[in-house]
Amino acid sequence: MNARRSAGLAAVGLYGGALAVAGVLAAAGLGPAGTTADAATVASAGSVSGSATGSATGSETGRAVAPAPVVPPFTGAVAPGPAPSGPDAVPTATEGTDVPARPAVFVPTRLVLPDGTAAPVVPVGLHDDGALAIPDDVRQVGWWTGGSKAGEAFGSVVVAGHVDSAVRGIGVFAELRRLVAGQVVELDADGSGITQTQRYRIVSAVKVPQARIAQDAGIFRVDGEPQLVLITCGGAFDRERHRYQDNLVVLATPLP
Amino acid sequence: MGGAWRRRLRAGLVVLLLGGAGVLVLPAGAGAATAPTTGQVYLVQGLVGTPVSVELDGHQVAASAQPRTIVGPLQVAAGPHVVVLRAGSRPVTSARFTVVAGRSIDVVAHRGADAARAPRIVVFRNDLTPVGPGKARLVVAHAAVAPPADIRVAGSVLFHDVASGESLSLLVPASTYAVDVVASVGGGAILAPVRLPVRAGTLTRVFAVGNPGDGTADAVVQVLPVGVTGAGRPSRVPTGDGGQAAQEFVGDTPSRLPFALLASAIAALLLLRTGPARRALALGSRRHSK
C-alpha cells in the first residue's frame, strides 16, 4: 500500500513538475501592480502555478464516454426462477476495497511554524460582506472551508490569521514576515490517537494589495498544483483607517 | 414475464439510450431528518456480452439488464439480501450482501481477473460525503478481466497496482479528465483512454470492465450527486487593525519600506556571508514587474 501511494505521489510530483513552466507564467500575474509596483518581493522561480487547463488534464485524448444508462427497477410481482440450490449455493459478495489515493486528507487543526510555534487552526467561512472570517483570537488562525483540505491533490489550502489587533496585540502570524524560502511549515490534525501531518516547503512570499487579493487567480483556486497559502497583513499601516495596505501571502508546496 | 412487459422495458431502454447523452443523475438515498430504515442500491451490470435478468430476494427487478448499464436506484430495507443474475433461467451469478440504512452501495457483477472462472459480485460503498465547492469525488474501480493495474488520470499514474475488485478515490476539481488503465506489470492496455467529464458536486465512478484480451474492455460511468460544503471565495482578508506589527518590524513604514528591505538584505549579506542569507538574497529583492 505504501509503495502504491508513494508511486502515485511521485507521479503527481512529476506531473507538477511538468506544470511548473505554466506555473512560472501564471506566477507573473501574482502580486502587486500599479500603485504599489515598487514593493519589493522575495520570489523564487517556478512553483506558483495557475489553474489546470485542458492540456494539463489530458482531455484532448481518448474517446468521449458518457454515464451509463440507468434502468429504473421493475417493481411488479413476478414469479422468480429456480433458486440456486444448497446451503452454500449463494456466496457472500466480496466487499470492494475503496482506498483513498492520497495518504491523508484532513481538515487541519494545528499549524506549526518553522520556529516550532504552534497555532490552533479553526475552519472559517465568510462574513456577510464576503470578508474571510478570521478568528478574533490572534493566537488562532483560520482554514478557509472553500479551499482544499490538507493532503488534497489539487488546489490551495488557505490559512489566514491576524498580524495584529488593536484590541489583542501582536498575532501569531506576525511571524510570517520572518519566513524565508526553504523553511518547512506543518499542518496537523489530531484524532482517535492518530495525528495526521502534512509538511510544506515555503517557496515564496508576496505582498498583494488588500483590494486586489480577491482577483488573484492563484490564491483561492481549487484546481491546479496543490499548495499551502498563508495570509496575513503587511505593508504600510494606515493609522487613520486602522488597516494595512497589503496582504502578505506566503506560498508553500507539499512535501511527500 | 409477458411479452408486453418486455416490449415496454425495451422501449424504455431505447428512450434512455437515445436521450441519454446527458447525465442521468438520480436522487441520493432516503436519509432524511428522521433515521433512515432503508439503503440505496444500484446494480452495475459489468458482464460484457451477457444480458441478464436481475432478481432481488426472489423478485425480479430487471428483465434484461444489458451489459454496461446500471439498474437502480433501489430503496432496500436494511439487512441481508440475495441477488441473482440469470441468463434465461440459468443463474449466472448470485451473492448475499448486506444493506445498511442510510448508505448507498453499488452491487457490481463482473468477471473477475480470470476469464475462466465464474462471474462474481463485489459490493462497493458509495461515498456520498460532501465535497468542497468546484470539486467532485472521482472513483475508478478495476472490475476487468485483467491483472493488477495502474489507473492513469491525465497521463499520470495516480492509482498503482490496483487489483480486480479494488477501487481508489480522489477529490478532483471539476474538469474533463483523460482516464486509462494499463497493467502494472508489462503496461498492456486494459482500458483505452477515455475522456471523462467530471462535474462539480458529484461522485463520479468509473468501472473498468470487460476483457482486453478479446477487445471487450470498456468503462461504465456512474454519476451520483453529493452535497457541497464550504464557503465561497473571500472578497478580502482583513488580518490586522492594530499596527503594532508595523512598529515592530524595522523600517516597515509607508515611505521607507522598499529601501529598508533592500538595505537590511544587503546588510545581512555583508555581515553574515552565510549560505542561507546568500540564498535568500538570490531569490529576490527584485522589483516586481507586470
Side-chain angles (χ1 to χ4, degrees):
Chain A
M1 189 64 71
N2 287 333
R4 186 188 302 192
R5 285 176 185 154
S6 59
L9 287 171
V12 172
L14 287 172
Y15 173 49
L19 284 180
V21 172
V24 172
L25 297 175
L30 177 69
T35 57
T36 57
D38 60 350
T41 64
V42 177
S44 68
S47 326
V48 178
S49 57
S51 54
T53 62
S55 59
T57 57
S59 59
E60 73 279 2
T61 60
R63 62 182 172 89
V65 61
V70 181
V71 183
F74 174 64
T75 54
V78 169
S85 57
D88 300 319
V90 182
T92 302
T94 48
E95 291 195 3
T97 318
D98 193 38
V99 182
R102 303 286 292 193
V105 174
F106 58 93
V107 173
T109 61
R110 183 169 62 251
L111 170 73
V112 184
L113 295 171
D115 68 351
T117 306
V121 180
V122 296
V124 297
L126 306 182
H127 289 302
D128 289 341
D129 66 352
L132 192 62
I134 315 295
D136 289 336
D137 185 342
V138 296
R139 297 165 303 178
Q140 292 185 350
V141 296
W143 167 74
W144 173 50
T145 59
S148 294
K149 297 175 185 172
E152 279 195 44
F154 299 88
S156 298
V157 181
V158 179
V159 178
H162 288 300
V163 70
D164 55 37
S165 151
V167 173
R168 296 179 179 83
I170 299 273
V172 63
F173 259 18
E175 178 66 15
L176 292 191
R177 298 163 167 239
R178 299 181 182 84
L179 300 186
V180 296
Q183 289 179 313
V184 173
V185 298
E186 183 178 297
L187 287 177
D188 300 330
D190 296 318
S192 318
I194 295 177
T195 296
Q196 295 171 296
T197 295
Q198 177 67 56
R199 298 165 74 235
Y200 302 83
R201 184 178 302 283
I202 295 171
V203 294
S204 64
V206 180
K207 282 202 185 70
V208 180
Q210 280 210 38
R212 285 183 51 83
I213 192 170
Q215 295 143 34
D216 193 299
I219 291 181
F220 297 108
R221 58 177 173 81
V222 296
D223 56 5
E225 288 303 294
Q227 62 177 359
L228 173 64
V229 181
L230 305 176
I231 307 178
T232 190
C233 276
F237 182 74
D238 184 334
R239 294 179 197 291
E240 303 280 321
R241 296 195 181 89
H242 295 281
R243 49 183 293 176
Y244 282 88
Q245 184 174 9
D246 302 320
N247 283 116
L248 175 62
V249 179
V250 177
L251 300 168
T253 55
L255 292 169
Chain B
M1 175 68 182
W5 281 111
R6 268 192 235 268
R7 282 196 292 277
R8 279 182 221 170
L9 191 54
R10 197 176 300 135
L13 275 172
V14 169
V15 168
L16 279 167
L17 287 168
L18 286 178
V23 173
L24 288 173
V25 174
L26 293 150
T34 57
T37 59
T38 62
Q40 184 184 62
V41 177
Y42 291 90
L43 189 286
V44 178
Q45 216 292 49
L47 298 173
V48 176
T50 311
V52 294
S53 66
V54 181
E55 285 172 19
L56 183 63
D57 301 328
H59 299 286
Q60 192 173 82
V61 295
S64 180
Q66 295 297 315
R68 298 187 301 275
T69 64
I70 300 172
V71 179
L74 293 138
Q75 291 304 130
V76 180
H81 298 275
V82 171
V83 62
V84 179
L85 275 59
R86 300 177 194 277
S89 61
R90 175 183 65 88
V92 169
T93 187
S94 60
R96 302 179 189 283
F97 64 98
T98 301
V99 171
V100 175
R103 289 188 186 176
S104 174
I105 57 174
D106 281 358
V107 176
V108 183
H110 69 116
R111 293 206 181 278
D114 185 348
R117 294 180 58 196
R120 67 197 58 183
I121 288 176
V122 60
V123 176
F124 290 100
R125 183 176 166 189
N126 292 317
D127 182 356
L128 299 179
T129 53
V131 297
K135 293 194 178 143
R137 183 169 293 114
L138 171 62
V139 178
V140 186
H142 180 342
V145 184
D150 291 349
I151 299 177
R152 302 196 293 206
V153 176
S156 293
V157 178
L158 288 190
F159 310 157
H160 175 64
D161 199 31
V162 180
S164 183
E166 293 184 329
S167 70
L168 276 93
S169 74
L170 184 71
L171 289 169
V172 298
S175 185
T176 297
Y177 292 89
V179 179
D180 75 321
V181 183
V182 296
S184 297
V185 176
I190 293 174
L191 175 69
V194 295
R195 283 198 305 277
L196 176 70
V198 178
R199 289 191 171 85
T202 65
L203 165 63
T204 299
R205 300 201 69 129
V206 182
F207 297 93
V209 299
N211 188 343
D214 59 19
T216 59
D218 204 346
V220 181
V221 177
Q222 179 186 32
V223 181
L224 298 175
V226 298
V228 176
T229 183
R233 291 195 178 191
S235 58
R236 59 194 183 93
V237 186
T239 37
D241 63 4
Q244 303 95 324
Q247 289 300 313
E248 186 185 71
F249 197 72
V250 172
D252 192 15
T253 58
S255 57
R256 295 200 304 247
L257 171 61
F259 302 99
L261 274 178
L262 193 56
S264 52
I266 291 174
L269 176 65
L270 292 173
L271 289 172
L272 296 176
R273 295 177 181 270
T274 57
R278 208 172 279 137
R279 272 201 297 278
L281 249 202
L283 286 172
S285 212
R286 65 173 174 267
R287 289 178 177 267
H288 188 84
S289 58
K290 191 85 171 118

